[in-house]
């Protein structure tokens, strides 16, 4: 196989070395970005008269035809050293030697950096739309379950009752920050490296801003060394994907817990669950479990790229070929998980009675009693101690707080009243901004809908 640089060498690469060196098995994914970048570059070369306008037009038309053929399946990218070589070979087969003019004033170094930025930009847009769809699912379910009350937990111990809607909307706001992070990162992705050459720029009078305009970039990378050797845009993107994976993993863990018979808070639809090859009774929350498990995979790709670039001298080094496989896999992983979890949540059936019953007798209204004492002038620390002793007494006697009579309450403080001692009354007291009362949760829902 002839390479783009084979004129320098007398012998072909050894097969093992060729296989190690080739990036085509994974960077073939960038064929569309490579063609788009080449169309913009060829257009600019013609406009600046670096190559003849008729040659520029011939190259651009051939590239557009090639893109259409590849998109429709009428053509396949042939095996090559990398996607850039493959596209150039296909172009040469189509229009002959004039195809060689396309590489004027560019290097594979700035070419691949441009392709990767285009790919990451498209991935950001796609994942943002998936997040938005998942957020809509969350708001739809939260609205439907506005009157469902459940135990709220700290340390996985029942703490205070909350609305299920309030609990689910916590994930809406996590995902909203994820969406904002991606949008912010997009600004730094959307800078054009092309025109930086191998590392030092080019001696041709190119118009980089015109190429940026044609490709939809907001600006050009100001330093050629940085442009070809920078991968912090990929690191930032992987970091954002890792945080998304954290949030999806946490939701997955809760679905696993809620789906267990010990909790019994949720029933998953058959369409999103699997069974056991041995135990006929099993119905497994595999989607939620995979959301947990695949998070580590995304984290690993971030750590791998950090490790790859941490000690590289300027500018381009072959190590940077390792920037793609993990990045592509992280994109694929998150793109699979978001719709899968959205479908899991949208089709789930919440066991409202079971969730509300779980709030009874679990001492999760203890803070409400302490607050009732505070309203009668008892300092909170003293109220906290009084109620803590009551809880201990109830545990020793096999009673719960709801069993306390009015006389027993008045023995603590003659002025204290606690007329409603259920979970719903408890959540309604949490009426501070961002709290779990119905009015506040409805405010959240309205703001969430507005964001969408």
């Amino acid at each position: 196989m002839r390479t783009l640089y084979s004129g320098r060498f007398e012998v072909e690469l050894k097969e093992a070395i060729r296989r190690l060196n080739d990036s085509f098995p994974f960077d073939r994914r960038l064929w569309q970005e490579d063609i788009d970048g080449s169309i913009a570059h060829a257009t600019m070369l013609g406009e600046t008269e670096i190559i003849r306008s008729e040659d520029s037009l011939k190259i651009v038309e051939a590239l557009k035809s090639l893109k259409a053929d590849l998109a429709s399946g009428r053509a396949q990218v042939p095996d090559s050293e990398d996607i850039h070589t493959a596209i150039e070979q296909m172009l040469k087969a189509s229009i002959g030697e004039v195809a060689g003019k396309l590489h004027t004033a560019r290097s594979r170094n700035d070419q691949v950096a441009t392709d990767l930025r285009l790919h990451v930009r498209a991935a950001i847009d796609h994942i943002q739309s998936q997040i938005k769809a998942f957020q809509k699912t969350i708001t739809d379910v939260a609205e439907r379950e506005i009157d469902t009350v459940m135990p709220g937990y700290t340390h996985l111990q029942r703490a205070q009752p909350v609305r299920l809607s309030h609990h689910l909307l916590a994930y809406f706001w996590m995902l909203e920050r994820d969406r904002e992070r991606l949008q912010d990162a997009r600004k730094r992705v959307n800078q054009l490296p092309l025109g930086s050459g191998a590392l030092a720029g080019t001696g041709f009078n190119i118009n980089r801003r015109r190429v940026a305009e044609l490709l939809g970039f907001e600006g050009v990378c100001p330093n050629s060394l940085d442009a070809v050797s920078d991968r912090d845009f990929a690191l930032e993107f992987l970091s954002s994907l890792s945080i998304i994976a954290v949030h999806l993993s946490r939701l997955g863990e809760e679905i696993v817990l809620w789906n267990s018979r010990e909790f019994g808070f949720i029933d998953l639809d058959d369409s999103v669950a699997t069974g056991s090859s041995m135990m006929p009774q099993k119905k497994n929350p595999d989607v939620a479990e995979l959301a947990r498990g695949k998070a580590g995979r995304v984290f690993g790709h971030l750590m791998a790229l950090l490790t790859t670039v941490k000690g590289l001298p300027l500018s381009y080094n072959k190590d940077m070929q390792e920037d793609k496989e993990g990045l592509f896999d992280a994109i694929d992983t998150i793109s699979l998980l978001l719709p899968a979890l959205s479908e899991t949540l949208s089709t789930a059936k919440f066991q409202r009675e079971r969730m509300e019953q779980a709030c009874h007798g679990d001492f999760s209204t203890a803070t409400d009693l302490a607050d009732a004492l505070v309203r009668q002038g008892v300092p909170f620390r003293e109220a906290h101690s009084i109620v803590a002793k009551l809880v201990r007494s109830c545990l020793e006697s096999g009673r719960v707080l709801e069993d306390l009579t009015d006389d027993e309450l008045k023995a603590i403080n003659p002025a204290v009243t606690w007329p409603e001692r259920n979970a719903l009354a408890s959540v309604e007291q949490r009426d501070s901004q961002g709290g779990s009362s119905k009015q506040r949760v409805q405010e959240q829902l309205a703001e969430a809908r507005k964001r969408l």
Side-chain angles (χ1 to χ4, degrees), residues 26-319:
F26 49 87
D27 73 14
R28 65 187 304 165
R29 178 169 175 153
L30 298 172
W31 68 265
Q32 183 168 318
E33 289 86 355
D34 200 73
I35 291 175
D36 288 342
S38 292
I39 290 172
H41 184 66
T43 300
M44 180 275 296
L45 290 177
E47 290 177 351
T48 54
E49 299 182 347
I50 293 173
I51 66 175
R52 296 189 306 170
S53 59
E54 54 265 37
D55 290 340
S56 168
L57 182 61
K58 189 174 185 178
I59 292 170
V60 168
E61 290 305 313
L63 285 168
K64 288 179 178 178
S65 177
L66 177 57
K67 181 179 177 180
D69 288 344
L70 288 171
S72 67
R74 292 190 299 270
Q76 300 294 324
V77 181
D79 286 344
S80 190
E81 178 187 3
D82 54 38
I83 188 61
H84 323 297
T85 309
I87 296 298
E88 192 165 327
Q89 288 170 343
M90 295 181 78
L91 186 64
K92 184 177 180 180
S94 172
I95 60 174
E97 293 299 326
V98 70
K101 294 187 176 184
L102 174 61
H103 207 61
T104 305
R106 77 174 182 183
S107 163
R108 282 189 297 181
N109 293 356
D110 59 351
Q111 190 177 353
V112 68
T114 301
D115 290 358
L116 197 59
R117 283 175 179 265
L118 287 170
H119 192 79
V120 169
R121 187 180 71 185
I124 286 174
D125 294 344
H126 176 64
I127 291 171
Q128 280 186 307
S129 69
Q130 288 187 312
I131 291 174
K132 195 171 182 179
F134 191 16
Q135 287 178 295
K136 184 179 185 305
T137 294
I138 291 172
T139 56
D140 288 345
V141 176
E143 200 160 42
R144 186 182 74 209
E145 300 292 340
I146 189 70
D147 292 319
T148 303
V149 179
M150 64 175 290
Y153 294 83
T154 61
H155 307 277
L156 208 54
Q157 305 294 309
R158 292 180 190 173
Q160 291 179 301
V162 296
R163 291 182 185 277
L164 172 59
S165 299
H166 192 57
H167 193 114
L168 293 175
L169 284 169
Y171 288 100
F172 176 95
W173 299 112
M174 293 181 206
L175 290 167
E176 183 67 6
R177 293 191 296 275
D178 291 333
R179 204 153 58 100
E180 290 170 354
R181 264 186 289 272
L182 288 173
Q183 187 61 33
D184 191 55
R186 193 184 191 279
K187 294 182 294 186
R188 285 174 286 283
V189 171
N190 208 27
Q191 302 293 313
L192 176 73
L194 201 61
S196 299
L199 76 162
T202 175
F204 291 96
N205 188 27
I206 60 173
N207 186 344
R208 295 184 67 202
R209 293 197 177 278
R210 174 59 174 152
V211 178
E213 177 188 348
L214 290 169
L215 291 173
F217 283 105
E218 294 175 10
V220 299
C221 298
N223 182 289
S224 61
L225 286 166
D226 177 52
V228 299
S229 62
D230 161 49
R231 292 299 182 270
D232 59 20
F233 70 91
L235 289 168
E236 184 176 9
F237 179 50
L238 278 171
S239 175
S240 297
L241 294 186
S242 295
I243 297 171
I244 294 171
V246 167
H247 294 153
L248 300 184
S249 178
R250 294 185 72 183
L251 177 58
E253 167 67 4
E254 298 209 291
I255 291 173
V256 170
L257 289 172
W258 293 350
N259 185 66
S260 68
R261 294 187 74 81
E262 286 73 15
F263 276 74
F265 290 175
I266 191 173
D267 283 336
L268 299 180
D269 191 77
D270 287 355
S271 64
V272 298
T274 63
S276 165
S277 62
M278 175 182 283
M279 298 167 284
Q281 83 282 6
K282 292 294 295 300
K283 185 175 180 180
N284 300 325
D286 282 7
V287 172
E289 291 170 356
L290 287 168
R292 286 186 318 200
K294 287 183 179 293
R297 182 186 188 118
V298 179
F299 304 163
H301 294 320
L302 171 60
M303 291 307 302
L305 186 55
L306 282 167
T307 304
T308 296
V309 301
K310 72 173 181 62
L312 296 182
L314 293 178
S315 61
Y316 185 85
N317 296 270
K318 192 68 171 182
D319 314 49

Side-chain angles (χ1 to χ4, degrees), residues 341-393:
L341 275 172
S342 183
E343 185 68 24
T344 299
L345 189 61
S346 68
T347 57
K349 181 180 179 182
F350 288 95
Q351 299 301 311
R352 297 165 186 167
E353 290 185 10
R354 174 74 179 243
M355 298 173 96
E356 188 165 355
Q357 288 170 0
C359 297
H360 180 78
D362 64 352
F363 298 98
S364 62
T365 57
T367 306
D368 299 295
L369 178 53
D371 288 347
L373 289 168
V374 169
R375 290 188 183 97
Q376 303 308 318
V378 179
F380 180 79
R381 283 300 167 206
E382 183 181 341
H384 184 285
S385 178
I386 290 170
V387 176
K389 291 174 182 176
L390 270 177
V391 169
R392 187 173 63 196
S393 175

